Amino acid sequence: MNLLHRTVGRALRAVALLAAIGPMAAAFADYPQRPVRMIVGLQAGASTDALARQIARKLSERLGPPFLVENKPGAATRIGMEAVAHAPADGYTLGVANAVTANFSMMFDNFGFVPGRDFTPIAILGRAPSYLAVRATLPAKNVQEFVAYAKANSSKLTFGHGGTGSNPHLSALTLARSLGVQGIEVPCKGNPPSAVGLAGGEVDFAMLDYPSVRPLVERGSVRLLAVAEPKRVALTPDVPTSGEQGLTREIDGMTPWFMLVAPPGTPAPVVALLNQQVNEVLKAPDVQQTLLGLGIEPEPGTAGQAQTYFIQQRERMERLAREHKVSLKSN
């Protein structure tokens, strides 16, 4: 982007902010004027990291100063999210929260990560739909056969999951409950190891996101029976939804998701600008293609919708954890 193009772009953004938000926007019309760091609470190479780097690259191209991804892994993303919560509320520190982040209130006594208090939502970046996946050697080629097998083998039916209280764990428990079967859970260290256990015949089924299981599906060692969404998804248009096949709708949308957030108190004009820019980035065909390659469906929307979604997901997971008597705390 040349200097003239960048100058014109900033002028247009200033006009848009003034029109949308009013006089307060004038003080932030030149944002950003220096590099912006985007904190990811996971290691480089994770899906959250890959998504963040794609969004950061596009925001850098559109806004001028670089958006730099900074990895702060540890404590189920808490280290990274605490860094966001305690950063200056000036728009120069952002973070990428995910489904694990919403479970902080169940994991830690002194850090719940509450919208408005600990962070400001900017935009939902995307969701990674989950699937009912079974080992290829299971005598079930469709949902009806799976249900029959599960009920006939209730005492020995096994399922894998990537961690206690995680979306795949609670989703599998909810599915088993709806079928009236107990199921034996096999905890793994993340979704990819859970998928490997499935392919190796160590477990019968798992609720998995597409990136974790795709190579094994293509290899023929794992079979996808349903996508746990209200409607079919672009990633796998030929895979019917769980609801289409008579499974409980309680598991719909219980899946990994990603959200751009800022420190609490970040000025509204900055949030508005970033939300607008992120939504435009998510609508770009090349970005959509990249995200779909990561197994992520873009989810453009408002900052208010992002906050509502975060709260709804937290309440949902807390309720399911109570119902299934699952505790995420060590004591």
Side-chain angles (χ1 to χ4, degrees):
M1 184 183 292
N2 59 40
L3 180 60
L4 177 60
H5 190 183
R6 188 177 302 172
T7 302
V8 171
R10 285 187 171 178
L12 291 175
R13 294 200 304 276
V15 172
L17 283 170
L18 286 167
I21 304 174
M24 180 184 175
F28 304 97
D30 290 333
Y31 171 86
Q33 295 179 309
R34 53 186 171 85
V36 177
R37 64 173 183 159
M38 188 181 295
I39 295 175
V40 173
L42 294 165
Q43 71 277 11
S47 295
T48 306
D49 175 75
L51 170 63
R53 291 181 187 279
Q54 173 71 2
I55 300 300
R57 182 173 67 83
K58 287 296 184 177
L59 289 177
S60 299
E61 293 174 359
R62 297 176 66 90
L63 297 176
F67 282 65
L68 305 172
V69 172
E70 182 178 330
N71 298 94
K72 287 184 174 292
T77 76
R78 176 176 175 171
I79 292 174
M81 293 303 98
E82 279 193 318
V84 174
H86 298 148
D90 56 9
Y92 290 95
T93 298
L94 308 175
V96 179
N98 60 22
V100 175
T101 311
N103 291 342
F104 280 175
S105 59
M106 296 188 287
M107 299 165 65
F108 309 112
D109 289 323
N110 58 346
F111 190 65
F113 211 58
V114 177
R117 186 193 73 188
D118 300 307
F119 74 98
T120 299
I122 293 175
I124 299 173
L125 299 176
R127 299 168 61 254
S130 290
Y131 296 77
L132 167 57
V134 301
R135 56 181 171 86
T137 54
L138 194 78
K141 291 184 169 57
N142 55 53
V143 164
Q144 289 70 32
E145 292 177 354
F146 169 77
V147 172
Y149 179 89
K151 291 184 175 182
N153 296 272
S154 176
S155 62
K156 60 181 182 180
L157 184 74
T158 57
F159 66 89
H161 64 79
T164 301
S166 64
N167 283 21
H169 182 210
L170 294 177
S171 180
L173 287 173
T174 301
L175 175 60
R177 180 180 64 183
S178 74
L179 299 178
V181 302
Q182 185 66 35
I184 301 170
E185 58 183 86
V186 181
C188 303
K189 294 183 178 180
N191 287 353
S194 181
V196 171
L198 189 65
E202 298 169 26
V203 295
D204 295 322
F205 80 96
M207 302 301 297
L208 291 167
D209 58 289
Y210 197 53
S212 297
V213 78
R214 179 176 184 173
L216 303 171
V217 171
E218 293 174 346
R219 200 175 302 159
S221 53
V222 171
R223 187 181 299 125
L224 300 181
L225 300 186
V227 59
E229 287 290 316
K231 60 182 181 179
R232 298 194 187 196
V233 301
L235 289 166
T236 53
D238 295 331
V239 177
T241 69
S242 48
E244 280 181 67
Q245 302 177 87
L247 293 178
T248 177
R249 305 306 295 263
E250 277 194 287
I251 61 175
D252 284 359
M254 200 181 302
T255 189
W257 51 263
F258 314 90
M259 182 181 296
L260 186 65
V261 302
T266 297
V270 173
V271 173
L273 171 64
L274 288 171
N275 176 270
Q276 174 195 17
Q277 292 294 318
V278 166
N279 284 334
E280 290 180 8
V281 165
L282 293 176
K283 293 173 184 176
D286 61 326
V287 173
Q288 293 190 351
Q289 183 176 2
T290 298
L291 296 192
L292 288 176
L294 294 170
I296 298 170
E297 292 212 318
E299 289 272 338
T302 67
Q305 288 171 330
Q307 175 160 318
T308 298
Y309 183 80
F310 187 98
I311 294 171
Q312 289 175 340
Q313 290 301 305
R314 165 168 287 169
E315 291 175 346
R316 179 187 195 186
M317 303 310 285
E318 288 178 342
R319 173 179 60 81
L320 288 172
R322 287 194 303 270
E323 291 176 0
H324 293 297
K325 297 180 172 56
V326 171
S327 175
L328 278 69
K329 295 178 181 178
S330 57
N331 49 30

